[in-house]
Amino acid sequence: MRSLQEALDKQKRFKADDDQLLHFYEQMLLIRRFEEKAGQLYGLGLIGGFCHLYIGQEAVAIGLQSALDNDKDSVITGYRDHGHMLAYGIDPKVIMAELTGRAAGISKGKGGSMHMFSTEHKFYGGHGIVGAQVSLGGGLAFAHKYNEDGGLCLAYFGDGAANQGQVYETMNMAALWNLPIVFVVENNQYAMGTAVKRSSAETEFYRRGTAFRIPGLEVNGMDVLEVRQAAEIAFAHVREGNGPVLMECNTYRYRGHSMSDPAKYRTREEVQEQRDHHDPIERVKKDLGAVGIDEDKLKEIDKGIRATVAEAADFAESSPEPEAAELYTDVLVEEY
């Protein structure tokens, strides 16, 4: 049960070459700048409803999804989903258009922030019901096994969903049926606004699979290289037919639960301490500096990403809203 954790403890960080490290930096910075822009558009009233930003958690999505086989594997997550979409390399324009409810959006403007979807990329949402995506992830894993396609399902959920009964029902079935699934707890410490220690008797979530004989991994979710190394270990275990893995990525969201959350349950000093000493992007910048990538190159990358995000925002603002007739499409699956 501890073999995976022991393997991670022997080598904590993935040995990325310079190009991989630079790519991780670019992807994480794209998520950061995209989410900052989304926050601005929300403030201007161009994004309606709920909007949950991924700022601070970038290393989790990039570290994990960079290790997937995009031809086989599937991903499903909750409603803090913009970063996961960007981690696939999907055009920021269609993601921003979705956030603003435009016809050019990846879900035709009908999903919005919380319900993005791309069957082309085997990304199955974006789900607004807390914890519900875990059960659906179990179904995706069952399909991988039934179809013998060699794929696995990466099912994300948060510390706030970790006490849901359906999560444990799915773990039980996944262990019974030896399903190819990696359960990932993105533990950002506060769920919707309640500290983990106030809501969970067992705060080390990677242990939660023990009753089902599911091995766990405790991972620093603020270090993309540690997340990637954990992914290598977990995915290999699952692909070898050994059944599910439970991974806890300890991370931290800098913004509130959603844009409407003032986050009064924690101090500004606490958030600043995380930014100053644990920021995942700053950590990668240090790694890049250590291999000789100069600050000017990183500034040039940031400038290009800011331009990409500004272009995505302009595209979204100038795109038309869906036609009224779209209300009646995509209600039911038309073919199987």
Side-chain angles (χ1 to χ4, degrees):
M1 290 295 290
R2 286 196 51 81
S3 61
L4 302 189
Q5 187 68 55
E6 289 168 358
L8 180 62
D9 290 342
K10 285 179 183 176
Q11 183 180 325
K12 279 285 192 181
R13 307 186 82 209
F14 178 69
K15 293 181 179 178
D17 60 36
D18 293 359
D19 289 340
Q20 285 176 310
L21 197 59
L22 201 57
H23 186 56
F24 293 160
Y25 173 75
E26 290 172 345
Q27 287 186 299
M28 291 166 65
L29 193 59
L30 174 61
I31 293 174
R32 177 72 58 90
R33 299 297 179 236
F34 183 96
E35 294 290 65
E36 288 170 351
K37 178 61 73 173
Q40 292 172 11
L41 296 185
Y42 188 93
L44 293 171
L46 294 170
I47 295 175
F50 288 103
C51 183
H52 306 82
L53 302 182
Y54 204 63
I55 297 173
Q57 300 182 213
E58 298 90 351
V60 178
I62 298 304
L64 289 171
Q65 288 172 233
S66 64
L68 290 175
D69 183 332
N70 291 332
D71 293 327
K72 298 178 181 178
D73 300 331
S74 59
V75 172
I76 193 165
T77 189
Y79 41 74
R80 198 180 304 278
D81 56 359
H82 318 158
H84 302 93
M85 293 289 279
L86 289 165
Y88 268 119
I90 296 171
D91 187 347
K93 290 180 182 177
V94 299
I95 302 175
M96 195 68 84
E98 188 60 41
L99 288 178
T100 53
R102 307 305 170 110
I106 198 157
S107 296
K108 302 179 185 177
K110 297 187 288 186
S113 170
M114 298 170 66
H115 303 101
M116 296 194 189
F117 212 87
S118 175
T119 52
E120 177 188 353
H121 294 86
K122 297 182 175 61
F123 181 84
Y124 295 96
H127 290 269
I129 304 301
V130 175
Q133 74 275 12
V134 180
S135 298
L136 297 174
L140 290 169
F142 183 86
H144 286 305
K145 183 168 184 175
Y146 184 84
N147 292 326
E148 298 180 347
D149 60 16
L152 61 81
C153 176
L154 187 60
Y156 293 95
F157 59 106
D159 50 293
N163 296 318
Q164 289 274 335
Q166 59 196 327
V167 171
Y168 298 98
E169 290 176 6
T170 306
M171 286 184 183
N172 184 53
M173 287 188 286
L176 274 173
W177 298 339
N178 213 44
L179 298 184
I181 184 169
V182 178
F183 299 100
V184 179
V185 186
E186 292 193 85
N187 181 3
N188 62 27
Q189 315 303 320
Y190 285 101
M192 194 172 174
T194 303
V196 164
K197 63 184 179 182
R198 295 183 59 220
S199 61
S200 296
E202 174 55 89
T203 58
E204 295 181 304
F205 295 106
Y206 70 99
R207 297 180 174 183
R208 296 284 187 98
T210 303
F212 309 108
R213 312 300 299 166
I214 297 175
L217 276 167
E218 183 181 25
V219 184
N220 179 3
M222 303 298 271
D223 182 351
V224 70
L225 295 183
E226 184 168 331
V227 177
R228 175 58 188 265
Q229 183 65 13
E232 294 283 332
I233 293 167
F235 294 178
H237 179 88
V238 173
R239 294 194 199 284
E240 289 165 6
N242 297 311
V245 172
L246 173 61
M247 184 188 299
E248 176 184 4
C249 291
N250 287 293
T251 184
Y252 196 88
R253 56 172 170 77
Y254 296 163
R255 302 292 183 91
H257 173 70
S258 68
M259 284 297 296
S260 58
D261 171 22
K264 293 182 178 179
Y265 40 81
R266 60 186 183 183
T267 64
R268 291 183 179 180
E269 289 76 17
E270 178 184 313
V271 178
Q272 194 60 47
E273 195 276 335
Q274 288 288 334
R275 283 184 176 272
D276 290 344
H277 301 291
H278 304 285
D279 186 81
I281 295 175
E282 290 301 315
R283 188 188 298 265
V284 175
K285 283 181 73 174
K286 290 179 182 177
D287 290 331
L288 287 166
V291 297
I293 306 296
D294 62 48
E295 186 72 22
D296 288 341
K297 183 175 178 61
L298 299 184
K299 286 180 180 178
E300 194 64 28
I301 289 170
D302 192 7
K303 183 179 178 181
I305 287 172
R306 288 178 185 275
T308 297
V309 169
E311 186 181 352
D314 290 342
F315 173 80
E317 290 181 55
S318 61
S319 295
E321 295 182 354
E323 298 288 340
E326 279 290 342
L327 283 169
Y328 303 99
T329 65
D330 303 315
V331 177
L332 300 173
V333 176
E334 296 178 359
E335 57 184 60
Y336 294 88

